Amino acid sequence: ELKVEQNPLFLSMQEGKNYTIYCNYSTTSDRLYWYRQDPGKSLESLFVLLSNGAVKQEGRLMASLDTKARLSTLHITAAVHDLSATYFCAVTLNRDDKIIFGKGTRLHILP
Amino acid sequence: EAGVTQFPSHSVIEKGQTVTLRCDPISGHDNLYWYRRVMGKEIKFLLHFVKESKQDESGMPNNRFLAERTGGTYSTLKVQPAELEDSGVYFCASSLTGMRGANVLTFGAGSRLTVL
């Protein structure tokens, strides 16, 4: 059974700081997704990582994938308040199959 | 382009009552998924439609839950009778089939269900 674990589950940090959210998954997969959710809103796709060593960056967020370690990281650089949200990591075995989510990391950035 | 829309946004019912949630996917998206998030826990897969067919319903918790997608367009998820543990946010998502690369789901804003 495919399982996805994120840590930390909650993170409070000051603006301007750097931090990393970790996502481990239990079964070989080469499709990993990062989503963001603001309170009461839908999940917004941030990154899709499709191969070992893939790295994608958008603004202050950078995601990477190590399929051998079954690990993805979401790195936040010089955090700003607007990045406060819940971030979900998700994995699927095959393209159209169900996507399995982690519990999410609730990020709270203090001004 | 209209996104995935869900109705209602919030429903409060008593234990034993019935609730029907509706999802309108993006037009042309054959894949339609239902997920549920209980507070503080992971977003859990419920089921997956490809057009009007149930591709995978392994996540449906029990026979009190019934999902339909008549005509392969909108979908409904009925809970009858509702129990306290059914409370949570129900998300619907849709995507295209047969495309190369990743299957990127577009999510709706969710329907929050509170069972008292």
Side-chain angles (χ1 to χ4, degrees):
Chain A
E1 182 186 351
L2 180 56
K3 293 185 178 180
V4 181
E5 291 186 356
Q6 287 181 238
N7 77 83
L9 297 180
F10 178 77
L11 176 60
S12 180
M13 56 193 289
Q14 296 282 343
E15 277 193 326
K17 299 293 186 182
N18 303 334
Y19 208 82
T20 301
I21 300 170
Y22 297 90
C23 173
N24 289 91
Y25 52 97
S26 61
T27 305
T28 301
S29 171
D30 58 4
R31 290 175 175 83
L32 190 135
Y33 305 79
W34 283 98
Y35 282 87
R36 166 182 172 151
Q37 187 193 22
D38 293 291
K41 306 286 186 181
S42 62
L43 281 78
E44 173 192 355
S45 177
L46 293 175
F47 301 108
V48 181
L49 303 169
L50 296 176
S51 60
N52 186 39
V55 177
K56 290 194 175 180
Q57 184 165 2
E58 180 73 33
R60 300 173 187 275
L61 301 177
M62 183 174 71
S64 66
L65 177 63
D66 180 344
T67 58
K68 294 179 181 177
R70 299 177 188 168
L71 170 69
S72 179
T73 60
L74 181 65
H75 187 73
I76 304 149
T77 302
V80 293
H81 181 66
D82 287 350
L83 291 179
S84 295
T86 299
Y87 292 84
F88 292 94
C89 159
V91 178
T92 185
L93 292 176
N94 297 296
R95 192 202 169 272
D96 286 326
D97 284 354
K98 61 190 177 189
I99 292 175
I100 305 299
F101 284 84
K103 291 186 177 182
T105 297
R106 187 177 166 196
L107 179 62
H108 181 52
I109 298 171
L110 304 169
Chain B
E1 174 185 78
V4 177
T5 57
Q6 293 187 243
F7 179 84
S9 56
H10 191 188
S11 180
V12 182
I13 62 173
E14 291 187 329
K15 175 181 172 181
Q17 292 184 326
T18 297
V19 64
T20 299
L21 310 178
R22 172 170 170 147
C23 169
D24 286 79
I26 291 174
S27 178
H29 280 196
D30 288 337
N31 281 325
L32 187 149
Y33 305 82
W34 282 99
Y35 286 84
R36 175 175 73 177
R37 189 181 192 208
V38 174
M39 190 167 60
K41 297 194 175 181
E42 70 271 21
I43 299 174
K44 186 177 177 186
F45 168 80
L46 296 179
L47 89 159
H48 170 204
F49 284 100
V50 177
K51 297 185 180 179
E52 67 273 13
S53 299
K54 291 177 184 175
Q55 183 77 12
D56 181 351
E57 53 184 328
S58 61
M60 294 288 265
N62 51 60
N63 59 10
R64 295 185 293 103
F65 288 73
L66 175 64
E68 294 180 323
R69 192 183 182 194
T70 307
T73 54
Y74 71 90
S75 175
T76 57
L77 180 64
K78 179 190 286 188
V79 185
Q80 179 183 30
E83 298 289 343
L84 298 179
E85 64 265 25
D86 301 332
S87 295
V89 180
Y90 290 77
F91 290 100
C92 175
S94 71
S95 69
L96 290 166
T97 57
M99 300 287 288
R100 287 188 173 182
N103 179 23
V104 180
L105 275 60
T106 301
F107 280 82
S111 290
R112 178 177 296 277
L113 173 63
T114 302
V115 182
L116 303 176

